[in-house]
Amino acid sequence: MFRFLLKTMLLISILFIGVIIGFQEANHGLKEMKGFDDGTFSSVISVQEAEDYGEYEATILGEKVTSHDLEEKKKALEELNTYNLFTDMAKTFTDFLQKMISSLFS
């Protein structure tokens, strides 16, 4: 099982890297086709070290990504309060199992 998961994760990471390289090559092809370097065609992924020591700035598809943005998105997703049937079923099932096991031991 461990070998299967290892192979699967390796394959997924190789395919992901291939997609990123494909984006970069398409960007390079657009620049060559245009004939000059246009500022609207930025690189797909760029990582630069910030002024603060140890922090990095990442740009993905022309948009800056920071950890602060990720925290805001996480909070927004938590505030949506969407109903998920499978989550509710899983919670009910685990509560049932916990009560059953606790009653068996007591």
Side-chain angles (χ1 to χ4, degrees), residues 48-61:
Q48 299 169 347
E49 191 169 355
E51 294 89 23
D52 299 336
Y53 178 74
E55 294 188 15
Y56 293 94
E57 294 178 354
T59 305
I60 300 176
L61 296 174

Side-chain angles (χ1 to χ4, degrees), residues 29-94:
L30 285 172
K31 286 181 182 179
E32 283 186 6
M33 187 173 63
K34 191 145 183 133
F36 59 91
D37 193 14
D38 190 3
T40 59
F41 296 134
S42 60
S43 64
V44 177
I45 292 180
S46 66
V47 179
Q48 299 169 347
E49 191 169 355
E51 294 89 23
D52 299 336
Y53 178 74
E55 294 188 15
Y56 293 94
E57 294 178 354
T59 305
I60 300 176
L61 296 174
E63 293 186 24
K64 290 188 177 187
V65 178
T66 62
S67 61
H68 184 66
D69 293 340
L70 296 176
E71 290 173 6
E72 288 178 3
K73 289 179 184 179
K74 183 178 176 182
K75 287 180 184 177
L77 287 174
E78 289 175 354
E79 291 174 359
L80 284 177
N81 295 329
T82 58
Y83 178 75
N84 190 345
L85 175 67
F86 297 111
T87 304
D88 190 38
M89 287 173 43
K91 286 180 182 178
T92 307
F93 183 69
T94 55

